[in-house]
Amino acid sequence: MAEAASEDLLLAAAFVSDAQYNRNIPFKTSPEAVRLYRLYNHWTMRTATYFFIFLNLSLAMFEEPAVYPLPFLVTSLVEVLCLLVFFGRLTHFARVTHRSVFWKDTKNICIMAAILLSLTDLAIYGVLRIYNMKSVRWSRIVRPIFLINFAESRQIRRAFRSIRNTLPEITYVFLLFMFSLLMFSLMALKLFGERNLQTAEGLPYFRNYLEIVFDLYVLVTTANSPDVMMPAFDFSSWYALFFIAFVIVNTYIFMSLFLAVVYNNYKKHLKNEIRKLAYMKRRKMIEAFNLLKEEEGAQFVVREARWKQLVKLVAPDISNSHRELLLHISDDEQKNFIDKKSFLQLADLLNIQVITLKIRSHPLGRWMPRVYKSAVSRFLRSMVRHRGFVWTYDVIILINAIFIALDEESPYISYAEWVFLALYIIEILLKVYTYEPRAFFGKNQFWNWFDTLIIFAALTATILNTTLKSTTKYNSQQILDIVFILRVLRLIRIVDSIQRFRVIMNTLINIIPTMLTFGGLTLVVYCVFAIIGMELFHGKIQFFPANSNAPHALECGNPALKDSLFARGKYCKNNFNNFASSFIVLMELTVVNQWHVFANGFANVTAQPAKLYFIAFHIVMVIIIVNIFVSFILEAFFVEYSLEKSEVETAIEQKIQELGMGVQEDELQDEQLLENMENADHNLEGEGGSKPQSKGLVFKIASKPYEGTAVVSEVLLWPRSPFSSLSYVHSVFLLDWIMRVQDS
Amino acid sequence: MAEAASEDLLLAAAFVSDAQYNRNIPFKTSPEAVRLYRLYNHWTMRTATYFFIFLNLSLAMFEEPAVYPLPFLVTSLVEVLCLLVFFGRLTHFARVTHRSVFWKDTKNICIMAAILLSLTDLAIYGVLRIYNMKSVRWSRIVRPIFLINFAESRQIRRAFRSIRNTLPEITYVFLLFMFSLLMFSLMALKLFGERNLQTAEGLPYFRNYLEIVFDLYVLVTTANSPDVMMPAFDFSSWYALFFIAFVIVNTYIFMSLFLAVVYNNYKKHLKNEIRKLAYMKRRKMIEAFNLLKEEEGAQFVVREARWKQLVKLVAPDISNSHRELLLHISDDEQKNFIDKKSFLQLADLLNIQVITLKIRSHPLGRWMPRVYKSAVSRFLRSMVRHRGFVWTYDVIILINAIFIALDEESPYISYAEWVFLALYIIEILLKVYTYEPRAFFGKNQFWNWFDTLIIFAALTATILNTTLKSTTKYNSQQILDIVFILRVLRLIRIVDSIQRFRVIMNTLINIIPTMLTFGGLTLVVYCVFAIIGMELFHGKIQFFPANSNAPHALECGNPALKDSLFARGKYCKNNFNNFASSFIVLMELTVVNQWHVFANGFANVTAQPAKLYFIAFHIVMVIIIVNIFVSFILEAFFVEYSLEKSEVETAIEQKIQELGMGVQEDELQDEQLLENMENADHNLEGEGGSKPQSKGLVFKIASKPYEGTAVVSEVLLWPRSPFSSLSYVHSVFLLDWIMRVQDS
């Protein structure tokens, strides 16, 4: 009986956990499967999977053509290891879920096919290699499949689904756009084709229909903007009208239309996803409730003790006080049970990350109270807390900026650097002296962490550099570069002093996690295109240092590039000779400018259809993915600005306010709070010790538990899971939050 | 008494008209003022004002530096004439409105100041000219003020207001962006400043802080994308990371943030505007109602006769049947009066443009019924109406496209051109033969008009060209160019055959009127920048034809441009030497690409701070106006796609459906309808002539009124006033819409 109950609890915990993290895996409900499922979702397993996925992807750096060459045996062994891990993960998953479900899921089929393909390709390549025959490692292109299809990368899959849903509509706009392009090209052929005009490079201008189409497609991206027009414009000013009409129709209207279609679909899709997620979440929570429910009067409820066990299982690392807060919210009327409606909220409640942060009196105050509470110390602390302190350091930062901009050679300037470093270190020490160290380095104190890390890294690097210089008389270039960067990064802190900038910065910081999804998306697209690009263009273009006397060094080692814009722009290092430089080329193509020079260059050294590779990349990356990125920024920005709170958050906040534990953000000057609390403590005592405690919760200023220090918990609702705009959370501050439950 | 009533009517009509066109002018209510106000709003007066505004703006084409030079006397006389007209218009307005209101309105003050400034400047310039002293016509910069401030250009003013409201918020983002730019520049200076690197042009790379800031600002616009990175990248691959970070932060995130801020404000502002407009409209309609109301039972109402007089006054050019429809909607229950609620809707009802289009039997059918109704004729007509007819012509268009792409020289091809022209003319004639000509050339038949105009223009031009060729043995270049363009434009028609394309095209066509507002906005910005640009850069850069032997012909006549990218790109014709070429340069700067080459070129021939002109233009035009344009396209697109109808439209449609006069759009095959109606006619007669007519309206197939022809009115609700998204209207089709009101 007890065992059955504990199995139910485990199963319920699995449901709640799935609801909390929006997982949607139909696992088997046998106790063994549930335990396996728990293991499957453990963070170590997930991290390991990610590690091997990225290891597998990064193999491209070490395989031919390699950035850092490793023997084939090593890379192939690593690849086999990765594939084994993936297979293990898949097997684990197969044992967790029902067989029919497993085989219906295209994700699993994809992974298996990818593993098989990779192995066969590896085997064939290895065998051919033994007989010294060259072949293509074509299976490398399937590697991103692992990144997309493992259940952990839900967000990347969601982004891909969003793209897939956008495709039909975007295709129609694209076809219309292509039609417009073809029409304009035909017009250009008729208007300019027989004028015998020449481009600035002396090539024939607008003679060949396909070339015109390509040139005008490039004009849509604005990359060859005035150049493509100049010969016609020089011939007659009226021809400028043709190009102006072209740009208005194709660049401005059609490109905006693409953004509109993508954005519209993105919004629609996001709404559907959120609706579906909410439905799934509710269903899982109902299943969990049904497992734990007991009869109480006319209704089914979950008893408090079971609820606590459940929460401990689902979220083992949250603090007691946090759990009590959740209980207090769920069991609103202190009836010692939780009804169905409150229970269903649990997943959302858990999702609102509450950081428990204890503000204590300063440790120095405990260790040497006399010194710490002396007049000098008090004055120092009040000085640090004064606004003037911040302003002084803002001025110091500005002066530092000027010094950085000045010439490094003068010895005074390099001494000044030490002065500034010292000043910054003093600032940090003073702050740590004034504020409680654990509060200063709280999880949410982004700028404090940023500051301290930058300063100490700069200190280390500067000392390292100086010792190197004094011992070997030689500046290490890498260390110096890092020192320079750190020195400038220090200046960023000034942004935090201006309220409006802080708001914008916080918006940007909040959307960083989701931008990682786009990072993943971009990684997948880049990987695929980089691998194709390496197969197509590897070795065709080479980079020689400036003083090289290799043949055709100026033409990137390829006479076909003579007089081309590619060679003239000294673009030789932009090649597909290894994975890293392919990525850089693709980055440059994403930025769009001069992409036609790349396209023409690589087409010259191979064949004209090579341009299709560049056009395809432009369509996929710029027209689709960059537009989705922009849509995402727009949506995130609007949500951040509208400052709407979800229902659950409002409920929590309300409860906090009811309990009298809310504070305004600007009140949160730690020391001041501490003092207020001390006063409150006295008042309470003045009123006659402990008041009668209602509802089983005691709010008490714990003046004695830790040897005479006031202990305060600051519970902070912290933004989380930025992808779903449902749960944009805004900070609510709690303090004075120590609970002693009477029955414990 | 009768006179007072007619004056009230006039006043009420003025209120309704203001409500209809969202005018907000507090005019005096004296009968004389109302009559003057009516004149003030008359379309001829408005058109004349616009004409003189554009005449005044276009003077820049004829003044020094002129595209087409005219003597100073002529241009100054024209300018004085324009200013007189503006003054007259202002005086007219002053007599219409209250003095206190007039002097409080900044618009009027602006216009007066602009007139005064222009006159003084003109006088000073004229006097100095007599004494042969050179001076600057600085007042030309105020000319766009007339375009902005005349009450007619409400939409441009609204756009400017929208920009002004966006400014504070965008300024903060811009400052943060500038901070980021300055930080990155500082880092670049430290990292690359002492490496002694060189750009592809052999210039020092990243030495001077201000130059770095400019280069990196250009990189934000992506205009110098790989070039600015290449020297550092060639030195060490790791430095690419610096540029990648820079592009991600500044180009992708900050530029999206700009769009987000602009779009967010645009939406907010649009909502407020619409709310304000709706409030003003309601107030005006209430005032009109109060003037016309009479007591009827317990409520005040407007009697039907007065209502009709009012509508005749407000909208004299709508048809009787249209007015009857409106009456029928307003006076829902046929009580011969209109209550307050319905009356207030009148302005919206009038705003929904209802095109009355009569579908009659073919005039040939009347003139020679025997021939027209013969078997051959019937077969011909059914053939034209068949889907195959459209498909055949789609195929012909495609073949034509191929022929156009082929070489013109071969005589067969040029004969083919005549064949195609003949085929298209036959198509139009057949269609006119089959469908009723007035229906075929209805106001809403965009493609029919487009087709016919293109074909007949092509026919005229081709004939003209052939006669010129046969008489003078010489192809006129202009005519040939027009023929080429028309030939290609003909092909566009194929888009109309595909349903999905038609939807997108219709969206695009619907937003054209509002794009004109952006045209106005762009015109204002261009004018100001063109005039400043001409003062700054006039004559500094000159264009010489390719075979010129002028000194420094290759350096655009200015040795300062030797070896510059500007001269190497053969950009000499991009100069500020006259108004037209200034506009083209500004267009190229709007497209952004290579703008740094222009900025550097013009800075070389003047001074380095000249770059500020180009940066300012980029900020105003690209960061603000283009983003507003994109916001507008996004919003227009979403509204078009959401297909929401306003309440009033729904009311009309419902009424139409109630009356049994609705048809599905795809049923609207004219001839078929005609036949259906004829059948319906027979059925009605079969049922025993005229049925008892309820509610004073007769729905009758007018088989006899016009000598045996069926007369059908097709009333079409047609999209209008696209700026306010409130009134995006979707077409509703009405037919069989002949009303005979019993009391008439």
Side-chain angles (χ1 to χ4, degrees), chain A residues 190 195 223 227 233 239 404 477 481 571 573 593, chain B residues 190 195 222-223 227 233 239 477 481 571 593:
Chain A
K190 291 285 113 180
R195 295 266 181 287
D227 307 272
F233 182 45
Y239 287 142
I404 291 176
Q477 192 52 57
D481 284 351
Y571 290 169
K573 209 174 176 183
N593 196 52
Chain B
K190 292 283 113 181
R195 296 266 181 286
T222 77
D227 305 274
F233 182 45
Y239 287 141
Q477 193 54 58
D481 283 349
Y571 288 171
N593 196 51

PDB file of all heavy atoms in Angstrom, chain A residues 190 195 223 227 233 239 404 477 481 571 573 593, chain B residues 190 195 222-223 227 233 239 477 481 571 593:
ATOM      1  N   LYS A 190      15.746  44.591 -72.897  1.00  0.00           N
ATOM      2  CA  LYS A 190      15.276  45.338 -74.062  1.00  0.00           C
ATOM      3  C   LYS A 190      15.812  46.763 -74.070  1.00  0.00           C
ATOM      4  O   LYS A 190      16.159  47.310 -75.111  1.00  0.00           O
ATOM      5  CB  LYS A 190      13.739  45.380 -74.063  1.00  0.00           C
ATOM      6  CG  LYS A 190      13.087  44.060 -74.334  1.00  0.00           C
ATOM      7  CD  LYS A 190      13.173  43.689 -75.793  1.00  0.00           C
ATOM      8  CE  LYS A 190      14.067  42.488 -75.980  1.00  0.00           C
ATOM      9  NZ  LYS A 190      14.187  42.074 -77.372  1.00  0.00           N
ATOM     10  N   ARG A 195      22.756  48.636 -76.269  1.00  0.00           N
ATOM     11  CA  ARG A 195      23.395  49.949 -76.218  1.00  0.00           C
ATOM     12  C   ARG A 195      24.922  49.850 -76.222  1.00  0.00           C
ATOM     13  O   ARG A 195      25.594  50.868 -76.227  1.00  0.00           O
ATOM     14  CB  ARG A 195      22.997  50.669 -74.921  1.00  0.00           C
ATOM     15  CG  ARG A 195      21.566  51.003 -74.785  1.00  0.00           C
ATOM     16  CD  ARG A 195      21.291  52.394 -75.268  1.00  0.00           C
ATOM     17  NE  ARG A 195      19.880  52.686 -75.094  1.00  0.00           N
ATOM     18  CZ  ARG A 195      18.917  52.167 -75.843  1.00  0.00           C
ATOM     19  NH1 ARG A 195      19.220  51.339 -76.830  1.00  0.00           N
ATOM     20  NH2 ARG A 195      17.667  52.465 -75.604  1.00  0.00           N
ATOM     21  N   ALA A 223      23.005  45.130 -52.677  1.00  0.00           N
ATOM     22  CA  ALA A 223      24.451  44.969 -52.536  1.00  0.00           C
ATOM     23  C   ALA A 223      25.247  45.644 -53.647  1.00  0.00           C
ATOM     24  O   ALA A 223      26.393  46.003 -53.445  1.00  0.00           O
ATOM     25  CB  ALA A 223      24.812  43.486 -52.465  1.00  0.00           C
ATOM     26  N   ASP A 227      26.298  50.840 -58.429  1.00  0.00           N
ATOM     27  CA  ASP A 227      27.151  50.359 -59.515  1.00  0.00           C
ATOM     28  C   ASP A 227      26.372  49.811 -60.700  1.00  0.00           C
ATOM     29  O   ASP A 227      26.683  50.098 -61.841  1.00  0.00           O
ATOM     30  CB  ASP A 227      28.088  49.266 -58.986  1.00  0.00           C
ATOM     31  CG  ASP A 227      28.856  49.729 -57.783  1.00  0.00           C
ATOM     32  OD1 ASP A 227      29.930  50.300 -57.960  1.00  0.00           O
ATOM     33  OD2 ASP A 227      28.359  49.546 -56.654  1.00  0.00           O
ATOM     34  N   PHE A 233      22.763  55.045 -66.281  1.00  0.00           N
ATOM     35  CA  PHE A 233      22.538  56.416 -65.808  1.00  0.00           C
ATOM     36  C   PHE A 233      23.471  57.382 -66.553  1.00  0.00           C
ATOM     37  O   PHE A 233      23.050  58.474 -66.970  1.00  0.00           O
ATOM     38  CB  PHE A 233      22.788  56.443 -64.303  1.00  0.00           C
ATOM     39  CG  PHE A 233      22.553  57.775 -63.648  1.00  0.00           C
ATOM     40  CD1 PHE A 233      21.431  58.539 -63.945  1.00  0.00           C
ATOM     41  CD2 PHE A 233      23.448  58.257 -62.710  1.00  0.00           C
ATOM     42  CE1 PHE A 233      21.216  59.756 -63.319  1.00  0.00           C
ATOM     43  CE2 PHE A 233      23.242  59.475 -62.083  1.00  0.00           C
ATOM     44  CZ  PHE A 233      22.121  60.223 -62.396  1.00  0.00           C
ATOM     45  N   TYR A 239      17.121  56.884 -67.443  1.00  0.00           N
ATOM     46  CA  TYR A 239      17.145  55.466 -67.096  1.00  0.00           C
ATOM     47  C   TYR A 239      17.200  55.248 -65.587  1.00  0.00           C
ATOM     48  O   TYR A 239      16.891  54.157 -65.113  1.00  0.00           O
ATOM     49  CB  TYR A 239      18.328  54.773 -67.768  1.00  0.00           C
ATOM     50  CG  TYR A 239      18.123  54.590 -69.254  1.00  0.00           C
ATOM     51  CD1 TYR A 239      19.149  54.743 -70.160  1.00  0.00           C
ATOM     52  CD2 TYR A 239      16.855  54.244 -69.742  1.00  0.00           C
ATOM     53  CE1 TYR A 239      18.943  54.572 -71.522  1.00  0.00           C
ATOM     54  CE2 TYR A 239      16.652  54.075 -71.097  1.00  0.00           C
ATOM     55  CZ  TYR A 239      17.688  54.247 -71.976  1.00  0.00           C
ATOM     56  OH  TYR A 239      17.473  54.075 -73.313  1.00  0.00           O
ATOM     57  N   ILE A 404      42.120  55.820 -22.071  1.00  0.00           N
ATOM     58  CA  ILE A 404      42.266  54.655 -22.957  1.00  0.00           C
ATOM     59  C   ILE A 404      42.467  55.112 -24.391  1.00  0.00           C
ATOM     60  O   ILE A 404      43.279  54.561 -25.131  1.00  0.00           O
ATOM     61  CB  ILE A 404      41.027  53.745 -22.854  1.00  0.00           C
ATOM     62  CG1 ILE A 404      40.996  53.076 -21.486  1.00  0.00           C
ATOM     63  CG2 ILE A 404      41.034  52.682 -23.943  1.00  0.00           C
ATOM     64  CD1 ILE A 404      39.766  52.239 -21.249  1.00  0.00           C
ATOM     65  N   GLN A 477      50.963  38.997 -27.369  1.00  0.00           N
ATOM     66  CA  GLN A 477      49.918  39.666 -28.135  1.00  0.00           C
ATOM     67  C   GLN A 477      48.518  39.299 -27.632  1.00  0.00           C
ATOM     68  O   GLN A 477      47.678  40.166 -27.388  1.00  0.00           O
ATOM     69  CB  GLN A 477      50.063  39.295 -29.615  1.00  0.00           C
ATOM     70  CG  GLN A 477      49.238  40.146 -30.531  1.00  0.00           C
ATOM     71  CD  GLN A 477      49.508  41.609 -30.269  1.00  0.00           C
ATOM     72  OE1 GLN A 477      50.625  42.086 -30.340  1.00  0.00           O
ATOM     73  NE2 GLN A 477      48.466  42.346 -29.913  1.00  0.00           N
ATOM     74  N   ASP A 481      45.764  41.854 -26.085  1.00  0.00           N
ATOM     75  CA  ASP A 481      44.450  42.046 -26.706  1.00  0.00           C
ATOM     76  C   ASP A 481      43.348  41.886 -25.674  1.00  0.00           C
ATOM     77  O   ASP A 481      42.410  42.681 -25.616  1.00  0.00           O
ATOM     78  CB  ASP A 481      44.244  41.023 -27.831  1.00  0.00           C
ATOM     79  CG  ASP A 481      45.034  41.408 -29.075  1.00  0.00           C
ATOM     80  OD1 ASP A 481      45.574  42.522 -29.093  1.00  0.00           O
ATOM     81  OD2 ASP A 481      45.098  40.581 -29.995  1.00  0.00           O
ATOM     82  N   TYR A 571      39.898  39.561 -51.004  1.00  0.00           N
ATOM     83  CA  TYR A 571      38.993  38.702 -50.251  1.00  0.00           C
ATOM     84  C   TYR A 571      39.520  37.273 -50.140  1.00  0.00           C
ATOM     85  O   TYR A 571      38.766  36.385 -49.728  1.00  0.00           O
ATOM     86  CB  TYR A 571      37.619  38.661 -50.929  1.00  0.00           C
ATOM     87  CG  TYR A 571      36.835  39.955 -50.824  1.00  0.00           C
ATOM     88  CD1 TYR A 571      35.678  40.144 -51.577  1.00  0.00           C
ATOM     89  CD2 TYR A 571      37.216  40.956 -49.956  1.00  0.00           C
ATOM     90  CE1 TYR A 571      34.950  41.311 -51.484  1.00  0.00           C
ATOM     91  CE2 TYR A 571      36.493  42.127 -49.866  1.00  0.00           C
ATOM     92  CZ  TYR A 571      35.371  42.302 -50.631  1.00  0.00           C
ATOM     93  OH  TYR A 571      34.651  43.456 -50.524  1.00  0.00           O
ATOM     94  N   LYS A 573      41.097  35.504 -48.190  1.00  0.00           N
ATOM     95  CA  LYS A 573      40.961  34.708 -46.966  1.00  0.00           C
ATOM     96  C   LYS A 573      39.511  34.263 -46.734  1.00  0.00           C
ATOM     97  O   LYS A 573      39.239  33.472 -45.834  1.00  0.00           O
ATOM     98  CB  LYS A 573      41.488  35.489 -45.762  1.00  0.00           C
ATOM     99  CG  LYS A 573      42.012  34.548 -44.689  1.00  0.00           C
ATOM    100  CD  LYS A 573      42.674  35.255 -43.543  1.00  0.00           C
ATOM    101  CE  LYS A 573      43.082  34.241 -42.483  1.00  0.00           C
ATOM    102  NZ  LYS A 573      43.669  34.902 -41.311  1.00  0.00           N
ATOM    103  N   ASN A 593      26.080  42.429 -47.722  1.00  0.00           N
ATOM    104  CA  ASN A 593      26.863  43.319 -48.567  1.00  0.00           C
ATOM    105  C   ASN A 593      28.008  42.572 -49.249  1.00  0.00           C
ATOM    106  O   ASN A 593      28.680  41.743 -48.646  1.00  0.00           O
ATOM    107  CB  ASN A 593      27.432  44.455 -47.721  1.00  0.00           C
ATOM    108  CG  ASN A 593      27.903  45.585 -48.589  1.00  0.00           C
ATOM    109  OD1 ASN A 593      27.153  46.063 -49.440  1.00  0.00           O
ATOM    110  ND2 ASN A 593      29.147  45.980 -48.415  1.00  0.00           N
TER     111      ASN A 593
ATOM    112  N   LYS B 190      42.293  50.189 -29.893  1.00  0.00           N
ATOM    113  CA  LYS B 190      43.292  49.516 -29.060  1.00  0.00           C
ATOM    114  C   LYS B 190      43.803  48.246 -29.731  1.00  0.00           C
ATOM    115  O   LYS B 190      44.986  47.926 -29.671  1.00  0.00           O
ATOM    116  CB  LYS B 190      42.692  49.169 -27.695  1.00  0.00           C
ATOM    117  CG  LYS B 190      42.380  50.356 -26.841  1.00  0.00           C
ATOM    118  CD  LYS B 190      43.618  50.928 -26.211  1.00  0.00           C
ATOM    119  CE  LYS B 190      43.913  52.299 -26.763  1.00  0.00           C
ATOM    120  NZ  LYS B 190      45.115  52.889 -26.201  1.00  0.00           N
ATOM    121  N   ARG B 195      48.964  48.138 -35.210  1.00  0.00           N
ATOM    122  CA  ARG B 195      49.435  46.980 -35.982  1.00  0.00           C
ATOM    123  C   ARG B 195      50.049  47.389 -37.319  1.00  0.00           C
ATOM    124  O   ARG B 195      50.526  46.537 -38.051  1.00  0.00           O
ATOM    125  CB  ARG B 195      48.272  46.036 -36.279  1.00  0.00           C
ATOM    126  CG  ARG B 195      47.641  45.412 -35.106  1.00  0.00           C
ATOM    127  CD  ARG B 195      48.241  44.058 -34.818  1.00  0.00           C
ATOM    128  NE  ARG B 195      47.577  43.481 -33.676  1.00  0.00           N
ATOM    129  CZ  ARG B 195      47.756  43.870 -32.424  1.00  0.00           C
ATOM    130  NH1 ARG B 195      48.584  44.850 -32.154  1.00  0.00           N
ATOM    131  NH2 ARG B 195      47.104  43.299 -31.442  1.00  0.00           N
ATOM    132  N   THR B 222      25.981  47.946 -42.871  1.00  0.00           N
ATOM    133  CA  THR B 222      26.509  46.815 -43.657  1.00  0.00           C
ATOM    134  C   THR B 222      27.148  47.248 -44.980  1.00  0.00           C
ATOM    135  O   THR B 222      27.536  46.395 -45.769  1.00  0.00           O
ATOM    136  CB  THR B 222      25.458  45.722 -43.977  1.00  0.00           C
ATOM    137  OG1 THR B 222      24.620  46.174 -45.026  1.00  0.00           O
ATOM    138  CG2 THR B 222      24.635  45.372 -42.761  1.00  0.00           C
ATOM    139  N   ALA B 223      27.271  48.558 -45.215  1.00  0.00           N
ATOM    140  CA  ALA B 223      27.693  48.991 -46.547  1.00  0.00           C
ATOM    141  C   ALA B 223      29.147  48.648 -46.859  1.00  0.00           C
ATOM    142  O   ALA B 223      29.511  48.511 -48.022  1.00  0.00           O
ATOM    143  CB  ALA B 223      27.469  50.493 -46.715  1.00  0.00           C
ATOM    144  N   ASP B 227      34.897  44.408 -46.393  1.00  0.00           N
ATOM    145  CA  ASP B 227      36.114  45.191 -46.638  1.00  0.00           C
ATOM    146  C   ASP B 227      36.741  45.714 -45.353  1.00  0.00           C
ATOM    147  O   ASP B 227      37.957  45.652 -45.186  1.00  0.00           O
ATOM    148  CB  ASP B 227      35.788  46.371 -47.547  1.00  0.00           C
ATOM    149  CG  ASP B 227      35.128  45.924 -48.819  1.00  0.00           C
ATOM    150  OD1 ASP B 227      35.836  45.585 -49.763  1.00  0.00           O
ATOM    151  OD2 ASP B 227      33.881  45.872 -48.861  1.00  0.00           O
ATOM    152  N   PHE B 233      41.359  40.611 -40.397  1.00  0.00           N
ATOM    153  CA  PHE B 233      41.122  39.177 -40.578  1.00  0.00           C
ATOM    154  C   PHE B 233      42.351  38.527 -41.210  1.00  0.00           C
ATOM    155  O   PHE B 233      42.773  37.435 -40.808  1.00  0.00           O
ATOM    156  CB  PHE B 233      39.879  39.008 -41.451  1.00  0.00           C
ATOM    157  CG  PHE B 233      39.470  37.592 -41.692  1.00  0.00           C
ATOM    158  CD1 PHE B 233      39.435  36.662 -40.673  1.00  0.00           C
ATOM    159  CD2 PHE B 233      39.080  37.185 -42.962  1.00  0.00           C
ATOM    160  CE1 PHE B 233      39.038  35.356 -40.899  1.00  0.00           C
ATOM    161  CE2 PHE B 233      38.689  35.885 -43.196  1.00  0.00           C
ATOM    162  CZ  PHE B 233      38.670  34.973 -42.171  1.00  0.00           C
ATOM    163  N   TYR B 239      40.486  37.842 -35.090  1.00  0.00           N
ATOM    164  CA  TYR B 239      39.893  39.172 -35.078  1.00  0.00           C
ATOM    165  C   TYR B 239      38.514  39.205 -35.740  1.00  0.00           C
ATOM    166  O   TYR B 239      37.748  40.138 -35.523  1.00  0.00           O
ATOM    167  CB  TYR B 239      40.828  40.174 -35.753  1.00  0.00           C
ATOM    168  CG  TYR B 239      42.024  40.512 -34.899  1.00  0.00           C
ATOM    169  CD1 TYR B 239      43.281  40.674 -35.440  1.00  0.00           C
ATOM    170  CD2 TYR B 239      41.862  40.663 -33.523  1.00  0.00           C
ATOM    171  CE1 TYR B 239      44.370  40.976 -34.646  1.00  0.00           C
ATOM    172  CE2 TYR B 239      42.955  40.961 -32.719  1.00  0.00           C
ATOM    173  CZ  TYR B 239      44.200  41.112 -33.280  1.00  0.00           C
ATOM    174  OH  TYR B 239      45.262  41.401 -32.482  1.00  0.00           O
ATOM    175  N   GLN B 477      14.678  56.887 -80.223  1.00  0.00           N
ATOM    176  CA  GLN B 477      15.068  56.136 -79.033  1.00  0.00           C
ATOM    177  C   GLN B 477      13.987  56.153 -77.967  1.00  0.00           C
ATOM    178  O   GLN B 477      13.625  55.123 -77.411  1.00  0.00           O
ATOM    179  CB  GLN B 477      16.378  56.720 -78.476  1.00  0.00           C
ATOM    180  CG  GLN B 477      17.026  55.836 -77.451  1.00  0.00           C
ATOM    181  CD  GLN B 477      17.223  54.447 -77.992  1.00  0.00           C
ATOM    182  OE1 GLN B 477      17.863  54.214 -78.996  1.00  0.00           O
ATOM    183  NE2 GLN B 477      16.609  53.475 -77.321  1.00  0.00           N
ATOM    184  N   ASP B 481      12.024  52.915 -76.526  1.00  0.00           N
ATOM    185  CA  ASP B 481      12.097  52.540 -75.113  1.00  0.00           C
ATOM    186  C   ASP B 481      10.693  52.339 -74.549  1.00  0.00           C
ATOM    187  O   ASP B 481      10.421  51.367 -73.838  1.00  0.00           O
ATOM    188  CB  ASP B 481      12.799  53.637 -74.310  1.00  0.00           C
ATOM    189  CG  ASP B 481      14.304  53.591 -74.518  1.00  0.00           C
ATOM    190  OD1 ASP B 481      14.769  52.603 -75.106  1.00  0.00           O
ATOM    191  OD2 ASP B 481      14.985  54.516 -74.080  1.00  0.00           O
ATOM    192  N   TYR B 571      31.448  57.165 -60.284  1.00  0.00           N
ATOM    193  CA  TYR B 571      30.231  57.707 -59.699  1.00  0.00           C
ATOM    194  C   TYR B 571      30.048  59.192 -60.020  1.00  0.00           C
ATOM    195  O   TYR B 571      29.219  59.845 -59.414  1.00  0.00           O
ATOM    196  CB  TYR B 571      30.285  57.555 -58.164  1.00  0.00           C
ATOM    197  CG  TYR B 571      30.129  56.134 -57.677  1.00  0.00           C
ATOM    198  CD1 TYR B 571      30.352  55.817 -56.342  1.00  0.00           C
ATOM    199  CD2 TYR B 571      29.721  55.121 -58.534  1.00  0.00           C
ATOM    200  CE1 TYR B 571      30.215  54.530 -55.884  1.00  0.00           C
ATOM    201  CE2 TYR B 571      29.591  53.831 -58.075  1.00  0.00           C
ATOM    202  CZ  TYR B 571      29.833  53.535 -56.749  1.00  0.00           C
ATOM    203  OH  TYR B 571      29.689  52.265 -56.292  1.00  0.00           O
ATOM    204  N   ASN B 593      23.524  51.164 -49.734  1.00  0.00           N
ATOM    205  CA  ASN B 593      24.776  50.567 -50.178  1.00  0.00           C
ATOM    206  C   ASN B 593      25.710  51.608 -50.807  1.00  0.00           C
ATOM    207  O   ASN B 593      25.267  52.456 -51.564  1.00  0.00           O
ATOM    208  CB  ASN B 593      24.491  49.477 -51.207  1.00  0.00           C
ATOM    209  CG  ASN B 593      25.684  48.587 -51.394  1.00  0.00           C
ATOM    210  OD1 ASN B 593      26.230  48.087 -50.424  1.00  0.00           O
ATOM    211  ND2 ASN B 593      26.107  48.418 -52.624  1.00  0.00           N
TER     212      ASN B 593
END
